[in-house]
Amino acid sequence: MKKIALVCSGLLCSSLAHASALYFYEIGTEDTALAGAGQAARAQDASTIATNPAGMTRLPDHMITGGLQGLGGNIDYQLDNDNRKSPGNVMNFMPNGSAFYSQKINDNLYAGIGMYGNFGLGIDFGNWAGDGLIKKSSLLALTVSPSIAYKLSDKVSIGASVNANYGFLSLTRDVNGSDEKQKDHDWAPSYRLGLLMQLTDQTRAGLTWNSKTDYDFSIDGKARLPQGDYNLPITAQVNAPQSLMFSLVHDIDKQWSVMGDLGWQDWSQFGAPQIQVNGQQMSKTNRLKDTWHTAVGVQYRPTELWRLNAGVAFDSTPYHTQSDVAMTLPTGDEWRFGTGAQYQLTPASNVGVAVEYLHMQSSKVASPGVFSGSYDHPYLWFASVNYSYQF
């Protein structure tokens, strides 16, 4: 799960969704405060359904977890030609939410369901030199995730999720002085497998595999401009790659815990979304490569009522070079810095807040030349609140 790195593709590119490129880990849960560190092994609330379903075997008999989140930032696109109007910041504020329920069936079997959105963005290029190519776009997605977990022994658990992903895509462009909007929706399946191991009394490890998700949207990407016919890379799909995530959590003592991740995403399979001009691809070179994720985090419990979190994460760029990225998929190396706190309201409930800053590597759009430009020092921020109740 890695990337949803960024945006501009809430529009049409290839997957807006898990960590480095277009895919977010942030879904309004405590993981945001840890920059995702330990996500496949932490299993402290029902949101483990989204990160490692095997973690349900560590939860109480019944547990509900929910979260609300806001996402904003600055993704500023400036054209190389100063005589042409640049879009400026194309990023729109976007709300998000999630809800999870986990239940113990018997001593070894657990089941649960989650609803969340971990990819999708709204972008607004506004009135710019290329508004006949793209003006606004939104990609919204909701995942419903029925899940099951089974305890093989006191130390080893396995889990699985079958995900129903609903996606909605809209594209607005200027046609002869008026806004023309196209929209479509699609259902796409995906799958998740998880393994959780208690290595020692103080250390546990988790491994999660997520399958590729394929959306098929029927939206015409062709735009006829004075400079020629341009075809956006929407031809039909917005995809999330298969991914692996390995996590470790170590409880140093009753107050301190440290955790970390190592993850991989198969972005190279997608080549690169490229705009076609007059029916010809600007470049047939495969611009994308697989990406890697690493994170470290810490939890500190000063009292029985408080749990303080902090984490930092790095996701590598999916591009071979930042000097030739797709205009509709601006991303690069990503650094995440998160912090937050959980408070135990009652023995059965807790509430938490989290904030995170995501700094993205600058990038250059080389083609098509008439719309070439740069994304300089883009960043995103996340703010969330979560609540859990056990019964």
Side-chain angles (χ1 to χ4, degrees):
M1 315 184 49
K2 178 184 158 160
K3 306 311 23 244
I4 206 173
L6 177 22
V7 233
C8 213
S9 232
L11 95 113
L12 352 137
C13 296
S14 188
S15 173
L16 244 354
H18 269 36
S20 186
L22 292 174
Y23 182 53
F24 294 115
Y25 308 106
E26 296 82 5
I27 55 175
T29 65
E30 190 175 357
D31 282 321
T32 301
L34 292 159
Q39 60 185 275
R42 196 167 53 84
Q44 290 175 313
D45 59 50
S47 69
T48 188
I49 289 170
T51 54
N52 186 349
M56 286 190 291
T57 60
R58 290 182 53 84
L59 301 182
D61 291 356
H62 305 268
M63 192 169 195
I64 295 172
T65 296
L68 296 174
Q69 178 175 278
L71 160 64
N74 185 74
I75 311 297
D76 188 74
Y77 188 54
Q78 295 295 325
L79 295 173
D80 291 337
N81 188 341
D82 293 336
N83 295 321
R84 300 174 66 83
K85 186 176 181 180
S86 297
N89 181 21
V90 303
M91 178 69 195
N92 279 339
F93 172 82
M94 188 169 185
N96 192 13
S98 62
F100 303 89
Y101 171 70
S102 173
Q103 177 177 332
K104 181 179 180 180
I105 306 300
N106 57 43
D107 289 344
N108 297 317
L109 183 64
Y110 291 71
I113 189 168
M115 291 186 293
Y116 57 93
N118 68 334
F119 78 90
L121 278 178
I123 58 171
D124 188 352
F125 279 73
N127 297 311
W128 70 297
D131 56 16
L133 182 67
I134 177 174
K135 194 170 183 179
K136 298 179 183 179
S137 183
S138 295
L139 174 62
L140 305 176
L142 172 67
T143 297
V144 180
S145 183
S147 304
I148 194 168
Y150 187 78
K151 190 182 295 185
L152 297 176
S153 68
D154 290 339
K155 297 184 179 297
V156 180
S157 299
I158 56 175
S161 301
V162 177
N163 305 315
N165 305 285
Y166 175 78
F168 173 83
L169 177 66
S170 69
L171 170 64
T172 302
R173 52 165 52 115
D174 182 275
V175 178
N176 298 322
S178 299
D179 287 353
E180 181 181 279
K181 184 175 182 179
Q182 299 180 66
K183 57 185 179 181
D184 194 19
H185 62 92
D186 188 38
W187 284 94
S190 65
Y191 312 94
R192 181 180 304 115
L193 300 176
L195 173 67
L196 187 66
M197 299 170 288
Q198 191 72 39
L199 302 180
T200 70
D201 289 343
Q202 294 173 284
T203 306
R204 60 186 178 275
L207 179 66
T208 305
W209 170 79
N210 288 278
S211 72
K212 182 174 74 169
T213 306
D214 288 334
Y215 284 98
D216 186 1
F217 295 110
S218 297
I219 289 181
D220 184 8
K222 183 172 290 186
R224 292 176 172 82
L225 306 179
Q227 302 88 349
D229 292 345
Y230 287 72
N231 200 357
L232 288 167
I234 326 180
T235 30
Q237 297 184 335
V238 179
N239 303 314
Q242 66 169 326
S243 63
L244 284 172
M245 183 68 73
F246 175 74
S247 300
L248 281 173
V249 174
H250 177 69
D251 299 323
I252 298 173
D253 52 34
K254 291 184 177 180
Q255 286 188 306
W256 290 94
S257 296
V258 293
M259 54 208 69
D261 293 336
L262 180 62
W264 164 83
Q265 284 189 335
D266 189 16
W267 283 98
S268 61
Q269 66 179 302
F270 295 135
Q274 300 181 45
I275 293 175
Q276 294 184 6
V277 181
N278 296 325
Q280 301 295 316
Q281 251 186 0
M282 299 305 294
S283 170
K284 294 185 179 180
T285 303
N286 187 335
R287 290 193 251 179
L288 297 186
K289 61 181 180 178
D290 292 350
T291 60
W292 295 90
H293 160 86
T294 186
V296 292
V298 61
Q299 286 189 332
Y300 174 59
R301 293 169 286 274
T303 70
E304 292 184 355
L305 297 180
W306 285 97
R307 183 165 68 229
L308 309 181
N309 298 304
V312 58
F314 173 78
D315 289 271
S316 65
T317 177
Y319 285 107
H320 288 288
T321 173
Q322 291 302 114
S323 62
D324 184 22
V325 308
M327 185 183 72
T328 52
L329 181 53
T331 187
D333 290 343
E334 299 171 2
W335 283 96
R336 284 171 163 80
F337 304 91
T339 189
Q342 298 291 127
Y343 179 71
Q344 199 71 34
L345 293 170
T346 70
S349 64
N350 69 80
V351 64
V353 295
V355 293
E356 185 187 83
Y357 172 77
L358 188 158
H359 175 78
M360 201 176 305
Q361 186 180 10
S362 298
S363 58
K364 171 74 176 176
V365 177
S367 62
V370 67
F371 297 129
S372 63
S374 59
Y375 288 96
D376 293 326
H377 310 295
Y379 66 87
L380 300 175
W381 58 260
F382 302 85
S384 64
V385 58
N386 65 81
Y387 176 80
S388 292
Y389 179 74
Q390 64 186 60
F391 55 99

